[in-house]
Amino acid sequence: QVQLVESGGGLVQAGGSLRLSCAASGISVRWSAMAWYRQAPGKERDLVASITGDAILTRSSTTNYADSVKGRFTISRDNAKNTVYLQMNSLKPEDTAVYYCKASTTYWGQGTQVTVSS
């Protein structure tokens, strides 16, 4: 059974930083495509950042970011902890949303609220 548990959300002032965590069980974050999405009230759920699983031969992965967060957000993972992170810097009020972790195009976490005050 796959479980994804997000944490690290909260209230922060504009310009501040937060780090979200997604602790996974039942699936290996190293070998799975992992992603962070966000959904603001009244809006669709949008992709924020993604990271591929390690390639078998090169042991390397690829990251991808929404244009709105490039240069501010960083997705990473700790294979030993089986956890994916989203480091969010220079936060803006428009980053306010519920942030969701997604694994292997199929599994979702319960979400964590991020609120950025102006």
Side-chain angles (χ1 to χ4, degrees):
Q1 182 181 358
V2 176
Q3 280 193 317
L4 303 172
V5 179
E6 299 103 331
S7 62
L11 173 64
V12 64
Q13 288 188 332
S17 298
L18 284 174
R19 189 178 79 157
L20 306 184
S21 300
C22 172
S25 59
I27 194 169
S28 169
V29 302
R30 180 178 184 181
W31 304 112
S32 303
M34 303 295 297
W36 286 96
Y37 283 72
R38 67 186 180 187
Q39 187 168 21
K43 295 188 177 181
E44 294 185 351
R45 192 174 295 188
D46 293 325
L47 177 67
V48 175
S50 64
I51 183 168
T52 61
D54 273 356
I56 297 297
L57 294 180
T58 64
R59 297 293 193 262
S60 64
S61 58
T62 302
T63 58
N64 182 57
Y65 298 91
D67 288 342
S68 59
V69 306
K70 282 181 181 176
R72 301 188 297 122
F73 290 12
T74 303
I75 187 171
S76 63
R77 62 173 180 244
D78 184 326
N79 295 334
K81 294 182 178 179
N82 210 35
T83 298
V84 176
Y85 302 99
L86 184 68
Q87 178 66 45
M88 307 186 295
N89 298 328
S90 302
L91 283 161
K92 304 175 181 179
E94 51 263 44
D95 294 319
T96 295
V98 178
Y99 284 71
Y100 297 90
C101 178
K102 186 177 184 182
S104 193
T105 73
T106 303
Y107 307 101
W108 291 93
Q110 83 288 350
T112 186
Q113 176 71 47
V114 171
T115 302
V116 184
S117 63
S118 57

